[in-house]
Amino acid sequence: MTDTSLGKQMHSLATMMFPICRSITGNGVRQTLNILKEEIPLVIYEVPSGTKVFDWEVPKEWNIREAYIKNSTGEKIVDFKNCNLHVLNYSTPINKKISLEELKKHLSSLPDHPDWIPYRTSYYKEDWGFCISHNQLQNLTEDTYDVCIDSTLTQGHLTYGECFIPGELSDEVLISAHVCHPSLPNDNLAGISVVTYLAKELLKSKPRYSYRFLFIPGTIGAITWLSINELHTHRIKHGLVASLLGDPGTFTYKRSRRGDTEIDTIVETVLKSRNPDNKIIEFFPYGYDERQFCSPGFNLAVGCLSRTPFGQYAEYHTSADNLEFIKAEILEDSYNTYLEIVRVLEANKKFLNTNPKCEPQLGKRGLYSLKGGDNDAKEFQLALLWVLNLSDGEHSLLDISKRANMKFESIRFAASKLEECDLLKEARKNWT
Ligand code: ZN
């Protein structure tokens, strides 16, 4: 299978999820998770409306069958079936005839992009509304309009999915993607597809860490998950929030609140080596679910890795975030970046030099004549000496590569050769 086909597979997965009208609760999330369940072993959880989750409550479940605006001749001028962004997400039901003036109070448009339809929500304030293009709004004439939103907001459940991949260690890596947006491929069908394929890859062989993939509605989903799993969170040693991974921009990594954790260092190293234009920014308490994972009561080592940050591309939260906006080769680049981060994390062990009193004799073990992969012999020897000197159980291979100013891969290769000669053993802890 070529790499290109992997990008296309992720794009097809996004295409399958595209037509579904998702929200923070309801059947849209269930249908989406059922599609993902065909790809990876996903456990779907249902949390009843009204459940107390820290300072919040699981909201009523929202479902929608149809919505339209008809003019007085009976012509449907706006139809939810054509584009689910047309309905204010979480709209209460409505079915009545109103004037143009009254209708306009419930319409949103984008004057700067008159052909695009905006995406709007009203989760925590009961309201109804439609989103239309500014051109259409300007062409509306005085008339009596028949507005219908056939939705329900009732006691039900909040739904989320979890895929757990057990590793050799009980220490966990948390990777989460929000699943609450309707037909917006970059936000976040791209992220969902990339992490689903990452999970598929990790399922092929037992990883060192255990991995927990969360597919949750934004904010309330993370709050709900943390509330239910509070006693479990001490196992989470590293984490990433995956969002906005299909647009053509470079990557932006937002550090964890702690700012100097292993995942922060690894992501920074990988991003810089892949493209010097990739950006690293400090934590701030706004954005995606890192807000909850990094709230002071949890303070987990979780950062957010996206391409162009939210609000910084014109198509953000509009109908122009469509299936053409996300490209297969970009999805694949996002996947490869995430995979490289995971590979470095998996390999970033701490070792103990078994012969710490003076340097061991490398020549008699055949290590002086070896060439290290694509490195020359001299660089390989230097890497061996750095690994031996700093392997005191305190320094990880990434720490060593930074101190030595050598590539992680060179240090990792030297460590593997020293381990083969029993000059190095892993400093182990937290084995399952
Ligand atoms: Zn969004």
Side-chain angles (χ1 to χ4, degrees), residues 119 178 181 184 187 244 288 310 316-317:
Y119 160 60
H178 62 278
H181 288 41
L184 294 167
D187 186 9
L244 315 177
Y288 294 98
F310 66 92
Y316 175 73
H317 280 190

Side-chain angles (χ1 to χ4, degrees), residues 31-47:
Q31 286 165 23
T32 303
L33 297 178
N34 280 325
I35 289 174
L36 300 179
K37 211 175 168 181
E38 299 287 312
E39 305 288 334
I40 51 174
L42 198 67
V43 180
I44 297 174
Y45 293 88
E46 300 275 359
V47 185

Side-chain angles (χ1 to χ4, degrees), residues 86-104:
H86 275 316
V87 170
L88 175 75
N89 203 284
Y90 242 65
S91 273
T92 50
I94 182 107
N95 191 357
K96 67 174 181 180
K97 289 188 170 34
I98 56 174
S99 66
L100 176 63
E101 192 190 350
E102 181 67 18
L103 176 62
K104 276 188 171 172

